[in-house]
Amino acid sequence: MYNEKIETCGKRIEKALTIRGMKRADLCKLADVPKSSLSLYLKGAYEPKQERIYKMAVILNVSETWLMGYDVPMEREEPGVSPTLGLTDNENHMLQLFRLVPPSQQVVLI
């Protein structure tokens, strides 16, 4: 069971943006979130739907549960990803971002 909710999703998005050194516009572009929607999330007027929470969490490299405002660790844990693959945290994060791209748009550069 989750711990209690201690912050709004908007406050957590703002924290994650600051920690990751990202701008709001960058998150909007990468997560395909309209600027007006992000503004409403940050004000606490609306909570994002689960699909958007997932996309933003992957891009910000944080746990979805943490992003929703619950008292859990911020670090993202990917189920089914073996820690023995030898990938760095940054490489794992890039892999998660790549998986958000539709297969028809995935290009491998050699």
Side-chain angles (χ1 to χ4, degrees):
M1 196 62 163
Y2 296 128
N3 296 332
E4 73 178 85
K5 196 166 183 175
I6 59 172
E7 283 188 303
T8 65
C9 184
K11 288 189 185 292
R12 289 288 174 90
I13 293 170
E14 199 68 64
K15 276 186 181 181
L17 286 169
T18 300
I19 290 168
R20 301 298 183 223
M22 288 181 67
K23 295 179 182 176
R24 292 177 182 184
D26 297 333
L27 180 61
C28 288
K29 183 176 180 181
L30 293 170
D32 194 28
V33 174
K35 290 179 184 180
S36 59
S37 294
L38 182 62
S39 179
L40 291 170
Y41 303 153
L42 296 174
K43 290 177 185 176
Y46 290 99
E47 292 283 317
K49 291 185 180 180
Q50 191 61 40
E51 182 181 331
R52 282 208 176 140
I53 287 175
Y54 173 75
K55 283 184 174 183
M56 291 187 291
V58 169
I59 290 162
L60 294 166
N61 198 22
V62 298
S63 155
E64 290 94 333
T65 310
W66 180 86
L67 193 61
M68 290 188 298
Y70 289 95
D71 186 18
V72 297
M74 182 176 129
E75 293 78 27
R76 181 171 188 75
E77 292 182 25
E78 288 298 326
V81 175
S82 171
T84 60
L85 290 177
L87 299 177
T88 66
D89 288 343
N90 189 46
E91 290 166 334
N92 275 319
H93 182 61
M94 295 301 293
L95 178 58
Q96 293 306 314
L97 291 174
F98 182 75
R99 288 178 178 161
L100 290 175
V101 177
S104 63
Q105 296 177 2
Q106 293 176 355
V107 177
V108 177
L109 301 176
I110 302 175

